[in-house]
Amino acid sequence: MFVFYIVSFLTAAVAFLFALYLYLWVKKHKIENKEIERISLLIKDGANTFLKREYKLLAAFAIAVAVLILIVFPHPIWKSNPADNVLTAIAYLAGTALSALAGKIGILVATLSNARCAEKAQKGLKDAFLLGFRGGSVMGLLVVGCSLFGVAFVLMITGKASILLGFSFGASSLALFAKAGGGIFTKTADVAADLTGKVELGMAEDDPRNPAVIADNVGDNVGDVAGMGADLFDSNVAAMTSALVIAQSLSGSLAATEMVFAYSILGLIASIIGIMTARVGKDGNPTRALNSSTYVTTAIFLILTAVSTALLEGFSWRIWLSSALGLIVGLIIGLTTDYFTDDTKPIVKKVAKASSSGPAFTILSGTSYGFISSAPAMIGIAISSLVSYKICEPIGEGYALFGIAMAAVGMLSIVGMIISNDAYGPIVDNARGLAEMGGLGEETIKVADELDSAGNTVKAVTKGFSIGAAGLTVISLLGAFMSETNSALRELGKDLINGFDIMDPSVFFGLLIGAAIPAVFSAMLILGVDKNAERMVAEIHRQFNTIKGLKEGKAEADYGKCIDIATKGALKELIPAGLVAIVSTLLVGFIAGSKAIGGFLVGNIVSGLLLALFMSNSGGLWDNSKKYIEADHEGGKGSDAHKSAVIGDTVGDPYKDTAGPSINTQITVVSLVASLASSLFAAFSIFG
Amino acid sequence: MFVFYIVSFLTAAVAFLFALYLYLWVKKHKIENKEIERISLLIKDGANTFLKREYKLLAAFAIAVAVLILIVFPHPIWKSNPADNVLTAIAYLAGTALSALAGKIGILVATLSNARCAEKAQKGLKDAFLLGFRGGSVMGLLVVGCSLFGVAFVLMITGKASILLGFSFGASSLALFAKAGGGIFTKTADVAADLTGKVELGMAEDDPRNPAVIADNVGDNVGDVAGMGADLFDSNVAAMTSALVIAQSLSGSLAATEMVFAYSILGLIASIIGIMTARVGKDGNPTRALNSSTYVTTAIFLILTAVSTALLEGFSWRIWLSSALGLIVGLIIGLTTDYFTDDTKPIVKKVAKASSSGPAFTILSGTSYGFISSAPAMIGIAISSLVSYKICEPIGEGYALFGIAMAAVGMLSIVGMIISNDAYGPIVDNARGLAEMGGLGEETIKVADELDSAGNTVKAVTKGFSIGAAGLTVISLLGAFMSETNSALRELGKDLINGFDIMDPSVFFGLLIGAAIPAVFSAMLILGVDKNAERMVAEIHRQFNTIKGLKEGKAEADYGKCIDIATKGALKELIPAGLVAIVSTLLVGFIAGSKAIGGFLVGNIVSGLLLALFMSNSGGLWDNSKKYIEADHEGGKGSDAHKSAVIGDTVGDPYKDTAGPSINTQITVVSLVASLASSLFAAFSIFG
């Protein structure tokens, strides 16, 4: 086993060094255009200001939770071995810290890459693409390196997978708020900028006269770079953690534990190779470049893990199959998402056509296709969990659930590549904004547009991945919850739980309430964006009315004020929604007991997956329908269809960038809270 | 027991006679205005044409299903007692026929009452209210009388509650299509009439120049009267059936069976008394009149059932408590719905205020509050099922589930009153249209508006009831499914099922797929409305462009053509969505077996409840926000806020009147299909 820890550390170190190399590579490109440099600094400062204030708030929250963990988790400190509580609390803090660090450095590189990417876009796709992609890769490598390092380190020191639950909870509680806070910030700015600039005044996207334009670009960074990085750090850690918790309870647990690390190590190596191969020719297609490097990574991962299975003792081919299945189902989910959101496919065209009958039809058709699009992914997750279970069942007791956990690990194995693709999006989006604001001319903006559109398409695929992985991970966390609960019940001398029967009224009770949580949670986030955007719209109107010469481009807008509003609003709105999820879990557990929590978690997964898929996909669909119309279809820009599509896009923005991806994290957080509190529920519930 | 059958028949007969009396009472009012009489005949003819064509299509469908039942349900005919198959098939056909009959007569009276209500509105609220309400009551009494009569008759003849499943499936399969077909018809016409008439041409609601105006009024009848009647007939029969199936498996089954009938009989009697008390003074408040008669009915039901429990042997107070709890939770669900949709409460005002920032905010805020509004109802259903279970558990084995079934029976006990309130809505809505088209003047339209607004408010309460009842009914149907499956497994000599464990991968597999079905089902219906409305908008444009003098009111529109489009489209779109639900149930059952079906049903209930509540409530919220703005708030008619609110209302229309209420029926249909096919799944599934 020791050798696996060492290799994990070494691989993480390679990832960090490679990230450093890419960082220096990005940095050595010099920015020549002073205006671009100035604006890019404004964006950087805005992002850092937000992060600093967000992390300050979250640090207070994390410390409070750590104290709570110290006192009562995994057992009340006066009843158990206090070392466990101390270690869990420290692991929790380490999880939050690593998550914050990855986000922070991701933003550092992203705000470095955006200006450079914009400048290079003057000379065509090739270098601009590389700057965008490699900037994103720094974040991808850091996230995967940190998760591999963190998980290996915690397990090596403590030897207990259950303490990893604390580490994982740290990662996911920070992700919950980073995603929600960043998501509210970015959509506040985006929606307000679009409504006032584009719709009211007919300005172009990223017009520098718009007071919200810098806030909009800051939002891309804090929402899509830092938030998304935290999200996938969380998913990756949670997938490894749940696999390791189950692995430790197996007979032959050593080989199972080794497999988890081996697969994660090989996934990181495959991602590094994949990142190196990503390139686009002078007139090449950036979407194809991103996709083909994803396929390369997938293939390398499958080959490397097959080799490891053949060579290493105790590595099972059945597990390999499950993990391959998870990865392939992830790709399939991504592809169906692509079918529903890509503007070369029929659905986007249908919604664009419906838009010419008015905005109500944009909304109705987008909503409908969004709901339909959730079905293939749900079926895919259902099949992969059932098949992995059946494949791995014959290995021995408990291996069936381990198979599902390894399907999730497989799906997330190439996460380094996924994040690189995903972080590429906001960087080139920013580059497009800088090209516009810096006046680099039509030709450059066109190049930047092409890069940006590739980012949008690939984003859909990566979102499918992360939602699918969350689904599978949470299934295996359910197993972790049950085994934690049973060990608590055993100590208390109570009857063990042998499952969660739907016909048991407590389970059904939990199921119904759990299903309502993602709906309430996402609604609160959307309302947060709503309220905040209204405040910012008022501020923009104030600036246009009181700053002389602003409309004519002769005076500069007060960008800082808009950033300030987005920041304050996001911080104010991010806590309540997260608390609803956490507190309702504790309430159900303490009132109705462990069985109710089993139902609660499942209700939460099921409705959470449904809503996350619906929101992500319908949002992407509306965004691309608008872009499709802007490319001179259905009357093009300024037509009635376009006006309707802009409304659809505005509705879709908080769906796809605030609520949808946050639901993902909400599911994981709730599962981890339940696992951590399992012994308390077993001991203290009122009606359990 | 025999005496309960006789009293059931007698009570049903009283209900029929009382309905006849009300029918004659409505009819004796003469229509004086020739124009109103003419238009009301157009509406009646349109509704009858649609019904005739719909029922023809559904008759073919029903016969096909009956043949299928004859051959394989409840067991393959070559393997079992053929008499069971024959009886089940006949019971199925009887269920469809009674459902169709109730819908048909409901429309007959509704189209009789609307014109008379419009005329009486010239003289104030009092008589107009009574005409609207008593017209609706005819339908309410018929539906409850038919269900009580049908259930008692089938059980008396066959003695087997399991054959009632066939009767109930007949009722619910017809309801599924009647609701979906009527819902598509009514919203096609409504949306198309609003978009062209109100939005494009600035005409008033119900302007006779609008070619879709008659189709719109026809839609109120076929969707809200016939469709809703079929829906509640289905819910009521399903609630009784599931209670009776469970009752027959209990020790002391006789008293339990008697209780089911006693409660239904007493509910009908309470409804008759409640209907008689409904009155409004000359300047009274119609909303208060409708609500107070609901409360009267509730109180009488609770007293009568308490008396019966005290007097009759074997009647348990615990069951009485469960059933009272169900009824009270139903009222509470109705009241929370009211909170989210009533324009005197804060939520409607918030959405109206958000509308002044643009249509995207109307949609986002309405969607968010719609999601939040689903939580109290889900929690209410969760609590009532858990508490009824716990209350009735001590009576004996199996009584816990019977308690849940009786909570559903309790919730639906006052369904006669509920339907009267609900059918009142479309009648006064029609009356308002006739007052406008017949030129009865501002004063009369104002009276009709007041009646109409009461209809809208009360509708929200009744929808909460029917969704809540569907939830509880389906939980008890799950018990029915399990007991049917086990008796099949016992015959096959296989291991019995003792529950549906979420950790079992087959159950989880079914759960995920079941949860996706309501999303796909409702999306297909909304897209059906979408497509159909686009066709009708094109036809309206054609008429305005080619019929000379139409815009000026000098030529008459071709109303028939619009009715024809709505009819054809509705019939074309109604079958596929229903088939998706039924076929996917069979697929999951035959592929993954009985346990997967258990999960499938639960996933279906959970996501179905969530989406049904979301859609019904957000739709009502948007509708009333628009009305609130029209009452001179946020700038009043013609303001930007109003334009946004109209878009919200158009989105909400198919949510609340097509998809939302159909999901309800879809849940029941799927549960009944599963129960009927249980022995086939037990014998023939591939991986079960």
Side-chain angles (χ1 to χ4, degrees):
Chain A
M1 188 61 228
F2 188 68
V3 65
F4 282 90
Y5 291 133
I6 298 303
V7 177
S8 296
F9 297 143
L10 286 177
T11 316
V14 169
F16 294 145
L17 286 175
F18 188 48
L20 182 66
Y21 160 75
L22 292 176
Y23 169 76
L24 295 173
W25 182 86
V26 168
K27 209 176 175 189
K28 81 164 189 238
H29 293 78
K30 289 280 165 270
I31 309 177
E32 275 149 28
N33 184 317
K34 288 293 155 206
E35 180 63 9
I36 287 194
E37 188 166 25
R38 190 181 71 86
I39 300 172
S40 125
L41 278 177
L42 283 177
I43 296 176
K44 190 177 167 180
D45 288 349
N48 281 330
T49 312
F50 173 74
L51 272 201
K52 202 184 275 172
R53 285 167 67 177
E54 186 184 49
Y55 285 164
K56 214 167 134 186
L57 183 70
L58 293 183
F61 174 84
I63 290 170
V65 173
V67 171
L68 197 67
I69 289 178
L70 189 66
I71 300 173
V72 290
F73 295 106
H75 303 276
I77 198 163
W78 57 92
K79 281 194 169 181
S80 71
N81 180 0
D84 276 0
N85 291 40
V86 173
L87 285 173
T88 309
I90 293 174
Y92 171 81
L93 287 174
T96 61
L98 280 182
S99 171
L101 185 73
K104 175 85 187 163
I105 298 181
I107 285 207
L108 176 72
V109 192
T111 50
L112 213 64
S113 316
N114 56 11
R116 289 162 170 84
C117 175
E119 283 220 325
K120 283 291 173 206
Q122 292 174 292
K123 294 181 191 155
L125 283 172
K126 199 175 163 225
D127 286 351
F129 171 83
L130 265 192
L131 275 162
F133 181 76
R134 294 193 166 174
S137 303
V138 172
M139 169 88 167
L141 292 163
L142 273 178
V143 163
V144 188
C146 284
S147 51
L148 183 57
F149 170 79
V151 170
F153 190 77
V154 171
L155 195 63
M156 193 179 78
I157 299 294
T158 67
K160 288 184 187 169
S162 59
I163 288 175
L164 268 180
L165 289 169
F167 181 71
S168 187
F169 180 50
S172 72
S173 68
L174 203 86
L176 181 69
F177 294 118
K179 198 69 217 161
I184 294 172
F185 184 111
T186 178
K187 291 303 124 176
T188 296
D190 190 5
V191 166
D194 280 1
L195 277 181
T196 50
K198 277 199 205 170
V199 178
E200 286 178 19
L201 300 169
M203 290 175 173
E205 173 99 35
D206 300 314
D207 189 309
R209 290 170 296 172
N210 193 328
V213 70
I214 301 288
D216 188 8
N217 280 287
V218 169
D220 290 339
N221 287 295
V222 300
D224 291 351
V225 178
M228 184 273 314
D231 180 12
L232 283 168
F233 177 69
D234 157 47
S235 302
N236 200 25
V237 169
M240 288 184 76
T241 299
S242 65
L244 288 167
V245 169
I246 300 171
Q248 288 213 333
S249 71
L250 300 173
S251 64
S253 74
L254 186 61
T257 307
E258 288 174 354
M259 278 193 99
V260 178
F261 283 104
Y263 277 50
S264 301
I265 291 164
L266 296 173
L268 181 47
I269 293 171
S271 293
I272 292 175
I273 301 174
I275 288 168
M276 290 196 290
T277 64
R279 244 162 246 283
V280 66
K282 205 154 191 142
D283 303 305
N285 179 334
T287 310
R288 205 176 307 139
L290 294 171
N291 280 336
S292 71
S293 50
T294 306
Y295 297 136
V296 166
T297 310
T298 304
I300 295 175
F301 173 76
L302 291 177
I303 294 168
L304 290 178
T305 46
V307 171
S308 78
T309 308
L311 297 180
L312 294 172
E313 209 189 310
F315 277 36
S316 154
W317 281 105
R318 289 175 179 274
I319 304 280
W320 180 81
L321 259 178
S322 290
S323 145
L325 180 72
L327 182 50
I328 289 163
V329 166
L331 283 179
I332 291 173
I333 293 175
L335 291 177
T336 56
T337 313
D338 188 54
Y339 174 77
F340 280 94
T341 54
D342 189 303
D343 62 4
T344 62
K345 307 273 171 6
I347 305 295
V348 168
K349 290 177 190 167
K350 282 186 188 169
V351 172
K353 187 161 182 300
S355 298
S356 53
S357 305
F361 289 97
T362 312
I363 302 296
L364 285 172
S365 58
T367 304
S368 303
Y369 288 117
F371 275 128
I372 293 176
S373 76
S374 66
M378 303 274 282
I379 295 172
I381 298 169
I383 292 176
S384 61
S385 67
L386 179 59
V387 175
S388 328
Y389 190 102
K390 295 281 180 196
I391 291 178
C392 297
E393 205 173 16
I395 309 179
E397 211 197 317
Y399 276 91
L401 209 56
F402 185 61
I404 296 179
M406 287 302 285
V409 170
M411 210 183 257
L412 283 172
S413 59
I414 60 167
V415 74
M417 187 66 214
I418 300 284
I419 297 176
S420 308
N421 281 350
D422 216 35
Y424 159 90
I427 294 176
V428 294
D429 191 345
N430 264 219
R432 196 214 165 278
L434 288 166
E436 171 105 33
M437 289 184 274
L440 296 188
E442 277 306 308
E443 209 42 45
T444 310
I445 292 177
K446 224 180 122 194
V447 170
D449 262 337
E450 199 172 332
L451 292 170
D452 188 20
S453 142
N456 272 326
T457 311
V458 172
K459 222 174 176 183
V461 180
T462 64
K463 263 181 201 152
F465 248 87
S466 68
I467 294 173
L472 285 176
T473 301
V474 176
I475 301 172
S476 43
L477 280 175
L478 201 63
F481 170 72
M482 194 166 91
S483 75
E484 294 289 312
T485 300
N486 275 339
S487 71
L489 290 171
R490 206 171 292 123
E491 278 175 31
L492 294 164
K494 291 190 183 176
D495 288 343
L496 298 195
I497 286 179
N498 49 18
F500 303 103
D501 180 6
I502 292 167
M503 305 293 293
D504 182 317
S506 308
V507 175
F508 196 85
F509 171 84
L511 200 74
L512 281 176
I513 295 179
I517 300 303
V520 173
F521 173 79
S522 51
M524 288 175 77
L525 292 182
I526 294 174
L527 287 174
V529 172
D530 235 23
K531 273 188 257 175
N532 218 20
E534 282 178 41
R535 274 177 230 142
M536 195 184 284
V537 165
E539 167 63 19
I540 296 172
H541 285 159
R542 189 195 66 76
Q543 292 200 19
F544 275 122
N545 290 334
T546 57
I547 302 180
K548 261 191 189 164
L550 178 57
K551 264 185 207 164
E552 297 75 30
K554 288 176 191 155
E556 182 158 88
D558 183 356
Y559 301 127
K561 190 84 185 115
C562 284
I563 296 176
D564 194 53
I565 288 176
T567 304
K568 275 193 192 144
L571 297 181
K572 193 173 142 196
E573 312 285 353
L574 71 85
I575 298 279
L579 281 185
V580 161
I582 295 174
V583 170
S584 60
T585 313
L586 296 175
L587 273 181
V588 168
F590 284 121
I591 292 174
S594 310
K595 290 207 165 181
I597 285 290
F600 180 86
L601 295 183
V602 170
N604 200 265
I605 298 170
V606 168
S607 96
L609 280 178
L610 184 72
L611 292 178
L613 289 162
F614 157 63
M615 291 192 173
S616 295
N617 293 350
S618 59
L621 175 54
W622 279 316
D623 191 351
N624 284 338
S625 298
K626 185 195 70 176
K627 293 207 168 111
Y628 176 76
I629 292 176
E630 285 173 353
D632 272 338
H633 297 99
E634 304 291 340
K637 270 194 185 173
S639 65
D640 281 349
H642 186 238
K643 278 178 201 146
S644 304
V646 169
I647 293 170
D649 182 38
T650 312
V651 171
D653 267 340
Y655 276 23
K656 75 177 197 306
D657 291 322
T658 311
S662 302
I663 291 176
N664 233 0
T665 324
Q666 182 264 306
I667 302 175
T668 320
V669 167
V670 158
S671 303
L672 290 165
V673 170
S675 290
L676 271 177
S678 54
S679 64
L680 298 177
F681 297 153
F684 300 117
S685 79
I686 304 178
F687 299 111
Chain B
M1 188 61 228
F2 189 67
V3 65
F4 282 90
Y5 290 134
I6 298 302
V7 177
S8 296
F9 297 143
L10 287 176
T11 316
V14 169
F16 294 146
L17 287 174
F18 188 48
L20 182 67
Y21 160 76
L22 292 177
Y23 169 76
L24 294 172
W25 182 85
V26 168
K27 210 176 171 187
K28 81 163 189 238
H29 293 78
K30 288 280 164 269
I31 309 177
E32 275 150 28
N33 184 318
K34 287 295 153 204
E35 180 61 9
I36 287 193
E37 188 166 25
R38 192 182 70 85
I39 301 173
S40 125
L41 277 178
L42 282 177
I43 296 175
K44 189 177 169 183
D45 288 349
N48 281 329
T49 310
F50 173 74
L51 271 201
K52 203 184 275 172
R53 287 167 66 176
E54 186 184 47
Y55 285 166
K56 214 167 132 186
L57 184 70
L58 294 184
F61 174 83
I63 290 170
V65 173
V67 171
L68 196 67
I69 289 177
L70 189 66
I71 301 173
V72 291
F73 295 107
H75 302 276
I77 197 164
W78 56 91
K79 279 193 171 182
S80 71
N81 181 0
D84 276 2
N85 290 40
V86 173
L87 285 173
T88 309
I90 294 175
Y92 172 81
L93 287 174
T96 61
L98 281 181
S99 171
L101 185 73
K104 175 83 187 163
I105 298 183
I107 285 208
L108 176 73
V109 193
T111 50
L112 213 65
S113 315
N114 55 13
R116 290 164 169 84
C117 175
E119 282 221 324
K120 284 290 172 204
Q122 292 174 293
K123 294 180 190 153
L125 282 172
K126 197 174 166 227
D127 286 351
F129 171 82
L130 265 192
L131 274 161
F133 181 75
R134 293 191 166 176
S137 303
V138 172
M139 169 88 167
L141 292 164
L142 273 178
V143 162
V144 188
C146 283
S147 51
L148 183 57
F149 169 79
V151 170
F153 191 76
V154 172
L155 195 62
M156 192 178 78
I157 298 292
T158 68
K160 288 183 187 170
S162 59
I163 289 176
L164 269 180
L165 288 171
F167 180 71
S168 187
F169 180 50
S172 72
S173 68
L174 202 88
L176 181 69
F177 294 118
K179 196 73 217 161
I184 294 173
F185 185 112
T186 180
K187 291 303 124 176
T188 297
D190 190 6
V191 167
D194 281 2
L195 278 181
T196 51
K198 277 198 204 170
V199 179
E200 286 178 20
L201 300 168
M203 291 174 171
E205 173 100 34
D206 299 314
D207 190 309
R209 292 170 295 171
N210 193 328
V213 71
I214 302 288
D216 187 9
N217 281 285
V218 169
D220 289 339
N221 287 294
V222 300
D224 291 352
V225 178
M228 184 273 314
D231 180 13
L232 284 168
F233 178 68
D234 156 47
S235 303
N236 200 25
V237 170
M240 287 183 77
T241 299
S242 65
L244 288 167
V245 169
I246 300 171
Q248 287 212 335
S249 70
L250 300 172
S251 63
S253 74
L254 186 63
T257 306
E258 288 173 355
M259 277 192 99
V260 178
F261 282 105
Y263 278 49
S264 301
I265 291 165
L266 296 173
L268 181 47
I269 293 172
S271 293
I272 291 176
I273 302 173
I275 288 168
M276 291 197 290
T277 62
R279 245 162 244 283
V280 65
K282 209 161 187 130
D283 303 306
N285 180 336
T287 310
R288 204 177 306 140
L290 293 171
N291 280 337
S292 73
S293 49
T294 306
Y295 296 136
V296 167
T297 309
T298 303
I300 295 175
F301 173 77
L302 291 177
I303 294 167
L304 289 179
T305 46
V307 171
S308 78
T309 307
L311 297 180
L312 294 172
E313 211 189 308
F315 277 35
S316 154
W317 281 106
R318 288 174 179 274
I319 304 280
W320 180 81
L321 259 179
S322 290
S323 141
L325 180 73
L327 183 51
I328 288 162
V329 166
L331 283 179
I332 292 172
I333 293 175
L335 291 176
T336 55
T337 313
D338 188 55
Y339 174 77
F340 280 94
T341 55
D342 190 305
D343 62 4
T344 61
K345 308 273 169 13
I347 305 293
V348 168
K349 291 178 190 167
K350 281 187 190 169
V351 172
K353 186 161 183 301
S355 296
S356 53
S357 306
F361 289 97
T362 313
I363 302 296
L364 285 171
S365 58
T367 303
S368 303
Y369 288 117
F371 275 127
I372 293 175
S373 76
S374 65
M378 301 274 281
I379 295 172
I381 298 169
I383 292 176
S384 61
S385 66
L386 179 59
V387 175
S388 331
Y389 190 102
K390 294 280 180 198
I391 291 177
C392 297
E393 204 173 15
I395 310 179
E397 209 196 320
Y399 276 91
L401 209 56
F402 184 62
I404 296 180
M406 288 302 286
V409 169
M411 210 184 254
L412 282 171
S413 58
I414 60 167
V415 73
M417 187 66 214
I418 300 285
I419 298 178
S420 308
N421 282 351
D422 216 35
Y424 159 90
I427 294 176
V428 294
D429 191 342
N430 263 221
R432 195 213 166 279
L434 287 166
E436 171 103 34
M437 290 185 274
L440 297 188
E442 277 306 309
E443 208 41 46
T444 310
I445 292 178
K446 222 179 125 197
V447 170
D449 262 338
E450 198 171 333
L451 292 170
D452 189 21
S453 141
N456 272 327
T457 311
V458 172
K459 223 174 172 182
V461 180
T462 64
K463 265 183 201 151
F465 249 87
S466 67
I467 295 174
L472 286 177
T473 301
V474 176
I475 301 173
S476 44
L477 280 176
L478 201 62
F481 170 71
M482 193 163 92
S483 74
E484 293 289 312
T485 300
N486 275 339
S487 71
L489 289 171
R490 206 172 290 122
E491 277 175 33
L492 294 164
K494 292 188 182 176
D495 289 344
L496 299 194
I497 286 178
N498 50 18
F500 304 102
D501 180 6
I502 292 166
M503 303 295 292
D504 182 317
S506 307
V507 175
F508 196 84
F509 171 83
L511 200 75
L512 281 176
I513 294 180
I517 300 302
V520 173
F521 173 79
S522 52
M524 288 175 75
L525 292 182
I526 294 173
L527 287 174
V529 172
D530 236 23
K531 274 189 257 174
N532 218 20
E534 281 178 40
R535 275 177 230 142
M536 196 184 280
V537 165
E539 167 62 20
I540 297 171
H541 286 158
R542 190 195 65 78
Q543 292 201 17
F544 276 122
N545 290 333
T546 58
I547 301 179
K548 261 192 187 164
L550 178 57
K551 266 186 206 164
E552 296 75 29
K554 287 177 190 156
E556 182 158 87
D558 184 356
Y559 301 127
K561 192 83 185 113
C562 284
I563 295 176
D564 195 52
I565 287 177
T567 304
K568 276 194 192 143
L571 297 182
K572 194 174 141 196
E573 310 286 351
L574 69 84
I575 298 279
L579 281 184
V580 161
I582 295 175
V583 170
S584 60
T585 313
L586 295 175
L587 273 182
V588 168
F590 284 121
I591 292 175
S594 311
K595 289 205 164 178
I597 286 289
F600 181 86
L601 295 182
V602 171
N604 200 265
I605 298 171
V606 168
S607 96
L609 280 177
L610 184 71
L611 292 178
L613 290 162
F614 158 63
M615 291 194 174
S616 294
N617 293 349
S618 58
L621 175 54
W622 280 316
D623 190 353
N624 284 338
S625 299
K626 185 195 70 175
K627 294 209 167 109
Y628 176 77
I629 292 176
E630 285 173 354
D632 272 338
H633 299 98
E634 304 292 340
K637 269 193 187 175
S639 63
D640 280 350
H642 185 237
K643 279 179 201 146
S644 304
V646 169
I647 293 170
D649 182 37
T650 312
V651 170
D653 267 339
Y655 276 23
K656 75 178 198 304
D657 291 322
T658 311
S662 302
I663 291 177
N664 231 2
T665 325
Q666 182 263 305
I667 302 175
T668 321
V669 167
V670 158
S671 303
L672 289 166
V673 169
S675 290
L676 271 177
S678 54
S679 64
L680 298 177
F681 296 154
F684 300 116
S685 79
I686 304 178
F687 299 111

